[in-house]
mmCIF file of all heavy atoms in Angstrom:
data_model
loop_
_atom_site.group_PDB
_atom_site.id
_atom_site.type_symbol
_atom_site.label_atom_id
_atom_site.label_comp_id
_atom_site.label_asym_id
_atom_site.label_seq_id
_atom_site.Cartn_x
_atom_site.Cartn_y
_atom_site.Cartn_z
ATOM 1 N N ILE A 1 37.456 -94.216 32.353
ATOM 2 C CA ILE A 1 37.694 -92.878 31.799
ATOM 3 C C ILE A 1 39.159 -92.488 31.960
ATOM 4 O O ILE A 1 39.744 -91.843 31.083
ATOM 5 C CB ILE A 1 36.767 -91.852 32.490
ATOM 6 C CG1 ILE A 1 35.311 -92.241 32.267
ATOM 7 C CG2 ILE A 1 37.035 -90.439 31.994
ATOM 8 C CD1 ILE A 1 34.321 -91.378 33.039
ATOM 9 N N HIS A 2 39.765 -92.895 33.062
ATOM 10 C CA HIS A 2 41.170 -92.544 33.277
ATOM 11 C C HIS A 2 42.088 -93.257 32.293
ATOM 12 O O HIS A 2 43.137 -92.731 31.919
ATOM 13 C CB HIS A 2 41.589 -92.894 34.710
ATOM 14 C CG HIS A 2 43.069 -92.779 34.940
ATOM 15 N ND1 HIS A 2 43.711 -91.562 35.048
ATOM 16 C CD2 HIS A 2 44.046 -93.736 35.078
ATOM 17 C CE1 HIS A 2 44.998 -91.755 35.239
ATOM 18 N NE2 HIS A 2 45.226 -93.075 35.260
ATOM 19 N N HIS A 3 41.708 -94.452 31.884
ATOM 20 C CA HIS A 3 42.596 -95.257 31.048
ATOM 21 C C HIS A 3 42.474 -94.946 29.571
ATOM 22 O O HIS A 3 42.975 -95.703 28.733
ATOM 23 C CB HIS A 3 42.346 -96.744 31.318
ATOM 24 C CG HIS A 3 43.023 -97.223 32.562
ATOM 25 N ND1 HIS A 3 44.326 -97.647 32.594
ATOM 26 C CD2 HIS A 3 42.573 -97.303 33.848
ATOM 27 C CE1 HIS A 3 44.651 -97.997 33.830
ATOM 28 N NE2 HIS A 3 43.597 -97.799 34.606
ATOM 29 N N VAL A 4 41.842 -93.845 29.257
ATOM 30 C CA VAL A 4 41.859 -93.344 27.881
ATOM 31 C C VAL A 4 43.066 -92.419 27.742
ATOM 32 O O VAL A 4 43.222 -91.470 28.513
ATOM 33 C CB VAL A 4 40.551 -92.586 27.557
ATOM 34 C CG1 VAL A 4 40.614 -91.994 26.159
ATOM 35 C CG2 VAL A 4 39.357 -93.526 27.706
ATOM 36 N N SER A 5 43.951 -92.716 26.773
ATOM 37 C CA SER A 5 45.149 -91.897 26.578
ATOM 38 C C SER A 5 44.745 -90.438 26.317
ATOM 39 O O SER A 5 43.743 -90.186 25.645
ATOM 40 C CB SER A 5 45.952 -92.451 25.394
ATOM 41 O OG SER A 5 47.154 -91.750 25.234
ATOM 42 N N PRO A 6 45.467 -89.490 26.917
ATOM 43 C CA PRO A 6 46.782 -89.550 27.589
ATOM 44 C C PRO A 6 46.721 -89.670 29.109
ATOM 45 O O PRO A 6 47.630 -89.205 29.797
ATOM 46 C CB PRO A 6 47.418 -88.220 27.184
ATOM 47 C CG PRO A 6 46.278 -87.272 27.119
ATOM 48 C CD PRO A 6 45.103 -88.072 26.626
ATOM 49 N N HIS A 7 45.651 -90.253 29.663
ATOM 50 C CA HIS A 7 45.569 -90.520 31.112
ATOM 51 C C HIS A 7 45.721 -89.232 31.929
ATOM 52 O O HIS A 7 46.536 -89.161 32.843
ATOM 53 C CB HIS A 7 46.633 -91.536 31.532
ATOM 54 C CG HIS A 7 46.762 -92.706 30.617
ATOM 55 N ND1 HIS A 7 45.821 -93.725 30.577
ATOM 56 C CD2 HIS A 7 47.701 -93.029 29.686
ATOM 57 C CE1 HIS A 7 46.192 -94.627 29.681
ATOM 58 N NE2 HIS A 7 47.318 -94.225 29.126
ATOM 59 N N GLU A 8 44.931 -88.234 31.594
ATOM 60 C CA GLU A 8 45.091 -86.924 32.214
ATOM 61 C C GLU A 8 43.915 -86.510 33.086
ATOM 62 O O GLU A 8 43.800 -85.347 33.479
ATOM 63 C CB GLU A 8 45.298 -85.859 31.129
ATOM 64 C CG GLU A 8 44.133 -85.760 30.152
ATOM 65 C CD GLU A 8 44.382 -84.746 29.049
ATOM 66 O OE1 GLU A 8 45.504 -84.174 29.020
ATOM 67 O OE2 GLU A 8 43.470 -84.539 28.231
ATOM 68 N N THR A 9 43.038 -87.435 33.435
ATOM 69 C CA THR A 9 41.869 -87.079 34.235
ATOM 70 C C THR A 9 41.426 -88.259 35.092
ATOM 71 O O THR A 9 41.916 -89.382 34.929
ATOM 72 C CB THR A 9 40.709 -86.632 33.316
ATOM 73 O OG1 THR A 9 39.644 -86.141 34.119
ATOM 74 C CG2 THR A 9 40.225 -87.778 32.454
ATOM 75 N N TYR A 10 40.496 -87.993 36.019
ATOM 76 C CA TYR A 10 39.902 -89.018 36.887
ATOM 77 C C TYR A 10 40.977 -89.831 37.605
ATOM 78 O O TYR A 10 41.057 -91.050 37.491
ATOM 79 C CB TYR A 10 38.985 -89.937 36.074
ATOM 80 C CG TYR A 10 37.608 -89.357 35.849
ATOM 81 C CD1 TYR A 10 37.437 -88.013 35.510
ATOM 82 C CD2 TYR A 10 36.465 -90.133 35.973
ATOM 83 C CE1 TYR A 10 36.172 -87.475 35.303
ATOM 84 C CE2 TYR A 10 35.196 -89.599 35.768
ATOM 85 C CZ TYR A 10 35.070 -88.267 35.442
ATOM 86 O OH TYR A 10 33.825 -87.727 35.241
ATOM 87 N N PHE A 11 41.779 -89.147 38.406
ATOM 88 C CA PHE A 11 42.890 -89.789 39.108
ATOM 89 C C PHE A 11 42.482 -90.429 40.437
ATOM 90 O O PHE A 11 43.212 -91.277 40.947
ATOM 91 C CB PHE A 11 43.998 -88.765 39.373
ATOM 92 C CG PHE A 11 44.687 -88.278 38.131
ATOM 93 C CD1 PHE A 11 44.342 -87.061 37.570
ATOM 94 C CD2 PHE A 11 45.668 -89.035 37.519
ATOM 95 C CE1 PHE A 11 44.971 -86.604 36.428
ATOM 96 C CE2 PHE A 11 46.296 -88.587 36.367
ATOM 97 C CZ PHE A 11 45.954 -87.367 35.820
ATOM 98 N N CYS A 12 41.383 -90.015 41.035
ATOM 99 C CA CYS A 12 40.991 -90.529 42.344
ATOM 100 C C CYS A 12 40.496 -91.971 42.207
ATOM 101 O O CYS A 12 39.580 -92.249 41.414
ATOM 102 C CB CYS A 12 39.895 -89.656 42.956
ATOM 103 S SG CYS A 12 40.409 -87.939 43.223
ATOM 104 N N ILE A 13 41.085 -92.881 42.976
ATOM 105 C CA ILE A 13 40.819 -94.312 42.762
ATOM 106 C C ILE A 13 40.328 -95.022 44.023
ATOM 107 O O ILE A 13 40.315 -96.260 44.066
ATOM 108 C CB ILE A 13 42.077 -95.030 42.225
ATOM 109 C CG1 ILE A 13 43.262 -94.802 43.167
ATOM 110 C CG2 ILE A 13 42.406 -94.569 40.812
ATOM 111 C CD1 ILE A 13 44.515 -95.580 42.786
ATOM 112 N N THR A 14 39.920 -94.281 45.058
ATOM 113 C CA THR A 14 39.358 -94.931 46.238
ATOM 114 C C THR A 14 37.847 -95.077 46.100
ATOM 115 O O THR A 14 37.318 -96.192 46.115
ATOM 116 C CB THR A 14 39.703 -94.143 47.510
ATOM 117 O OG1 THR A 14 41.121 -94.057 47.632
ATOM 118 C CG2 THR A 14 39.145 -94.840 48.742
ATOM 119 N N THR A 15 37.160 -93.984 45.965
ATOM 120 C CA THR A 15 35.722 -94.015 45.695
ATOM 121 C C THR A 15 35.389 -93.365 44.352
ATOM 122 O O THR A 15 34.358 -93.661 43.767
ATOM 123 C CB THR A 15 34.940 -93.270 46.794
ATOM 124 O OG1 THR A 15 35.346 -91.901 46.825
ATOM 125 C CG2 THR A 15 35.204 -93.902 48.148
ATOM 126 N N GLY A 16 36.242 -92.459 43.904
ATOM 127 C CA GLY A 16 35.973 -91.726 42.669
ATOM 128 C C GLY A 16 34.981 -90.591 42.836
ATOM 129 O O GLY A 16 34.598 -89.960 41.845
ATOM 130 N N TRP A 17 34.581 -90.301 44.070
ATOM 131 C CA TRP A 17 33.578 -89.248 44.288
ATOM 132 C C TRP A 17 34.075 -87.884 43.829
ATOM 133 O O TRP A 17 33.284 -87.054 43.371
ATOM 134 C CB TRP A 17 33.209 -89.167 45.769
ATOM 135 C CG TRP A 17 32.545 -90.387 46.312
ATOM 136 C CD1 TRP A 17 32.049 -91.444 45.593
ATOM 137 C CD2 TRP A 17 32.303 -90.696 47.685
ATOM 138 N NE1 TRP A 17 31.514 -92.391 46.435
ATOM 139 C CE2 TRP A 17 31.656 -91.958 47.725
ATOM 140 C CE3 TRP A 17 32.561 -90.040 48.876
ATOM 141 C CZ2 TRP A 17 31.271 -92.557 48.917
ATOM 142 C CZ3 TRP A 17 32.179 -90.641 50.071
ATOM 143 C CH2 TRP A 17 31.540 -91.891 50.088
ATOM 144 N N LEU A 18 35.363 -87.636 43.963
ATOM 145 C CA LEU A 18 35.900 -86.306 43.669
ATOM 146 C C LEU A 18 36.322 -86.128 42.221
ATOM 147 O O LEU A 18 36.696 -85.020 41.826
ATOM 148 C CB LEU A 18 37.095 -86.017 44.579
ATOM 149 C CG LEU A 18 36.799 -85.911 46.075
ATOM 150 C CD1 LEU A 18 38.081 -85.640 46.852
ATOM 151 C CD2 LEU A 18 35.783 -84.817 46.359
ATOM 152 N N ASN A 19 36.267 -87.169 41.424
ATOM 153 C CA ASN A 19 36.764 -87.053 40.050
ATOM 154 C C ASN A 19 35.987 -86.022 39.235
ATOM 155 O O ASN A 19 36.582 -85.160 38.578
ATOM 156 C CB ASN A 19 36.707 -88.421 39.360
ATOM 157 C CG ASN A 19 37.862 -89.313 39.763
ATOM 158 O OD1 ASN A 19 38.970 -88.844 40.000
ATOM 159 N ND2 ASN A 19 37.604 -90.596 39.859
ATOM 160 N N TYR A 20 34.677 -86.103 39.288
ATOM 161 C CA TYR A 20 33.879 -85.177 38.480
ATOM 162 C C TYR A 20 34.022 -83.723 38.938
ATOM 163 O O TYR A 20 34.288 -82.840 38.112
ATOM 164 C CB TYR A 20 32.410 -85.602 38.499
ATOM 165 C CG TYR A 20 31.516 -84.714 37.671
ATOM 166 C CD1 TYR A 20 31.515 -84.800 36.276
ATOM 167 C CD2 TYR A 20 30.697 -83.769 38.277
ATOM 168 C CE1 TYR A 20 30.706 -83.977 35.513
ATOM 169 C CE2 TYR A 20 29.885 -82.939 37.526
ATOM 170 C CZ TYR A 20 29.891 -83.046 36.135
ATOM 171 O OH TYR A 20 29.102 -82.215 35.391
ATOM 172 N N PRO A 21 33.864 -83.413 40.244
ATOM 173 C CA PRO A 21 34.022 -82.011 40.643
ATOM 174 C C PRO A 21 35.419 -81.467 40.404
ATOM 175 O O PRO A 21 35.577 -80.304 39.998
ATOM 176 C CB PRO A 21 33.663 -82.010 42.140
ATOM 177 C CG PRO A 21 33.750 -83.419 42.569
ATOM 178 C CD PRO A 21 33.407 -84.238 41.372
ATOM 179 N N LEU A 22 36.468 -82.280 40.616
ATOM 180 C CA LEU A 22 37.820 -81.804 40.358
ATOM 181 C C LEU A 22 38.052 -81.572 38.873
ATOM 182 O O LEU A 22 38.787 -80.647 38.478
ATOM 183 C CB LEU A 22 38.854 -82.799 40.892
ATOM 184 C CG LEU A 22 38.937 -82.932 42.415
ATOM 185 C CD1 LEU A 22 39.950 -83.992 42.811
ATOM 186 C CD2 LEU A 22 39.296 -81.598 43.061
ATOM 187 N N GLU A 23 37.412 -82.377 38.043
ATOM 188 C CA GLU A 23 37.525 -82.170 36.592
ATOM 189 C C GLU A 23 36.784 -80.910 36.160
ATOM 190 O O GLU A 23 37.259 -80.165 35.281
ATOM 191 C CB GLU A 23 36.973 -83.397 35.861
ATOM 192 C CG GLU A 23 37.061 -83.315 34.340
ATOM 193 C CD GLU A 23 38.488 -83.279 33.841
ATOM 194 O OE1 GLU A 23 39.402 -83.687 34.583
ATOM 195 O OE2 GLU A 23 38.705 -82.827 32.696
ATOM 196 N N LYS A 24 35.658 -80.639 36.772
ATOM 197 C CA LYS A 24 34.876 -79.456 36.393
ATOM 198 C C LYS A 24 35.613 -78.161 36.724
ATOM 199 O O LYS A 24 35.506 -77.174 35.989
ATOM 200 C CB LYS A 24 33.519 -79.475 37.096
ATOM 201 C CG LYS A 24 32.586 -80.569 36.623
ATOM 202 C CD LYS A 24 32.263 -80.425 35.146
ATOM 203 C CE LYS A 24 31.379 -79.227 34.871
ATOM 204 N NZ LYS A 24 30.978 -79.147 33.450
ATOM 205 N N ILE A 25 36.350 -78.131 37.811
ATOM 206 C CA ILE A 25 37.094 -76.921 38.168
ATOM 207 C C ILE A 25 38.518 -76.948 37.605
ATOM 208 O O ILE A 25 39.304 -76.040 37.906
ATOM 209 C CB ILE A 25 37.142 -76.733 39.694
ATOM 210 C CG1 ILE A 25 37.926 -77.858 40.362
ATOM 211 C CG2 ILE A 25 35.739 -76.629 40.273
ATOM 212 C CD1 ILE A 25 38.127 -77.668 41.865
ATOM 213 N N ARG A 26 38.843 -77.987 36.812
ATOM 214 C CA ARG A 26 40.151 -78.105 36.163
ATOM 215 C C ARG A 26 41.281 -78.071 37.209
ATOM 216 O O ARG A 26 42.310 -77.397 37.029
ATOM 217 C CB ARG A 26 40.329 -76.993 35.137
ATOM 218 C CG ARG A 26 39.279 -77.020 34.029
ATOM 219 C CD ARG A 26 39.381 -75.787 33.141
ATOM 220 N NE ARG A 26 40.670 -75.722 32.485
ATOM 221 C CZ ARG A 26 40.972 -76.333 31.336
ATOM 222 N NH1 ARG A 26 40.040 -77.087 30.725
ATOM 223 N NH2 ARG A 26 42.160 -76.201 30.799
ATOM 224 N N PHE A 27 41.067 -78.811 38.281
ATOM 225 C CA PHE A 27 42.013 -78.768 39.395
ATOM 226 C C PHE A 27 43.386 -79.288 38.981
ATOM 227 O O PHE A 27 44.411 -78.623 39.210
ATOM 228 C CB PHE A 27 41.452 -79.602 40.559
ATOM 229 C CG PHE A 27 42.352 -79.666 41.751
ATOM 230 C CD1 PHE A 27 42.416 -78.609 42.635
ATOM 231 C CD2 PHE A 27 43.146 -80.794 41.990
ATOM 232 C CE1 PHE A 27 43.249 -78.664 43.752
ATOM 233 C CE2 PHE A 27 43.974 -80.849 43.098
ATOM 234 C CZ PHE A 27 44.032 -79.787 43.975
ATOM 235 N N TRP A 28 43.438 -80.467 38.368
ATOM 236 C CA TRP A 28 44.722 -81.057 37.999
ATOM 237 C C TRP A 28 45.409 -80.236 36.911
ATOM 238 O O TRP A 28 46.639 -80.074 36.943
ATOM 239 C CB TRP A 28 44.533 -82.502 37.540
ATOM 240 C CG TRP A 28 43.808 -83.353 38.522
ATOM 241 C CD1 TRP A 28 42.594 -83.961 38.363
ATOM 242 C CD2 TRP A 28 44.240 -83.705 39.849
ATOM 243 N NE1 TRP A 28 42.247 -84.652 39.488
ATOM 244 C CE2 TRP A 28 43.226 -84.527 40.421
ATOM 245 C CE3 TRP A 28 45.369 -83.412 40.605
ATOM 246 C CZ2 TRP A 28 43.327 -85.050 41.709
ATOM 247 C CZ3 TRP A 28 45.464 -83.932 41.889
ATOM 248 C CH2 TRP A 28 44.459 -84.733 42.423
ATOM 249 N N ARG A 29 44.645 -79.728 35.975
ATOM 250 C CA ARG A 29 45.239 -78.930 34.900
ATOM 251 C C ARG A 29 45.858 -77.648 35.450
ATOM 252 O O ARG A 29 46.934 -77.229 35.001
ATOM 253 C CB ARG A 29 44.160 -78.596 33.860
ATOM 254 C CG ARG A 29 44.691 -77.945 32.603
ATOM 255 C CD ARG A 29 45.610 -78.869 31.825
ATOM 256 N NE ARG A 29 44.968 -80.126 31.524
ATOM 257 C CZ ARG A 29 44.173 -80.322 30.445
ATOM 258 N NH1 ARG A 29 43.934 -79.338 29.609
ATOM 259 N NH2 ARG A 29 43.643 -81.516 30.228
ATOM 260 N N CYS A 30 45.198 -77.040 36.424
ATOM 261 C CA CYS A 30 45.757 -75.831 37.038
ATOM 262 C C CYS A 30 47.070 -76.134 37.754
ATOM 263 O O CYS A 30 48.047 -75.375 37.643
ATOM 264 C CB CYS A 30 44.750 -75.223 38.005
ATOM 265 S SG CYS A 30 43.300 -74.492 37.214
ATOM 266 N N LEU A 31 47.116 -77.262 38.493
ATOM 267 C CA LEU A 31 48.360 -77.639 39.152
ATOM 268 C C LEU A 31 49.469 -77.905 38.139
ATOM 269 O O LEU A 31 50.625 -77.506 38.345
ATOM 270 C CB LEU A 31 48.143 -78.883 40.012
ATOM 271 C CG LEU A 31 47.410 -78.715 41.345
ATOM 272 C CD1 LEU A 31 47.361 -80.041 42.086
ATOM 273 C CD2 LEU A 31 48.069 -77.659 42.220
ATOM 274 N N GLU A 32 49.124 -78.576 37.058
ATOM 275 C CA GLU A 32 50.129 -78.866 36.034
ATOM 276 C C GLU A 32 50.661 -77.589 35.397
ATOM 277 O O GLU A 32 51.873 -77.465 35.143
ATOM 278 C CB GLU A 32 49.518 -79.777 34.970
ATOM 279 C CG GLU A 32 49.209 -81.177 35.473
ATOM 280 C CD GLU A 32 48.359 -81.980 34.501
ATOM 281 O OE1 GLU A 32 48.114 -81.465 33.373
ATOM 282 O OE2 GLU A 32 47.935 -83.086 34.852
ATOM 283 N N ASN A 33 49.793 -76.622 35.138
ATOM 284 C CA ASN A 33 50.238 -75.363 34.543
ATOM 285 C C ASN A 33 51.172 -74.606 35.487
ATOM 286 O O ASN A 33 52.162 -73.999 35.050
ATOM 287 C CB ASN A 33 49.031 -74.492 34.193
ATOM 288 C CG ASN A 33 48.220 -75.074 33.050
ATOM 289 O OD1 ASN A 33 48.720 -75.869 32.249
ATOM 290 N ND2 ASN A 33 46.955 -74.700 32.965
ATOM 291 N N ILE A 34 50.854 -74.642 36.786
ATOM 292 C CA ILE A 34 51.706 -73.960 37.760
ATOM 293 C C ILE A 34 53.086 -74.608 37.822
ATOM 294 O O ILE A 34 54.126 -73.925 37.766
ATOM 295 C CB ILE A 34 51.040 -73.969 39.145
ATOM 296 C CG1 ILE A 34 49.778 -73.099 39.134
ATOM 297 C CG2 ILE A 34 52.016 -73.462 40.212
ATOM 298 C CD1 ILE A 34 48.956 -73.199 40.406
ATOM 299 N N ILE A 35 53.121 -75.937 37.914
ATOM 300 C CA ILE A 35 54.403 -76.644 38.019
ATOM 301 C C ILE A 35 55.200 -76.499 36.727
ATOM 302 O O ILE A 35 56.425 -76.293 36.750
ATOM 303 C CB ILE A 35 54.160 -78.121 38.354
ATOM 304 C CG1 ILE A 35 53.545 -78.240 39.748
ATOM 305 C CG2 ILE A 35 55.457 -78.922 38.280
ATOM 306 C CD1 ILE A 35 53.157 -79.645 40.140
#
């Protein structure tokens, strides 16, 4: 899922347990908007 362009989701690569919950709360997108 991460390797679908533009590579903007599912960044956790140890177990991947947090990918779905972080995506549901738009965690990475919120950080990107702030920065």
Side-chain angles (χ1 to χ4, degrees):
I1 300 174
H2 170 74
H3 280 275
V4 176
S5 184
H7 316 286
E8 60 183 4
T9 187
Y10 278 43
F11 292 100
C12 299
I13 55 175
T14 301
T15 61
W17 296 349
L18 295 179
N19 281 326
Y20 181 75
L22 292 177
E23 181 65 20
K24 292 299 290 184
I25 65 175
R26 300 172 61 86
F27 178 79
W28 306 116
R29 188 64 55 85
C30 290
L31 284 183
E32 292 169 6
N33 291 338
I34 293 172
I35 294 175

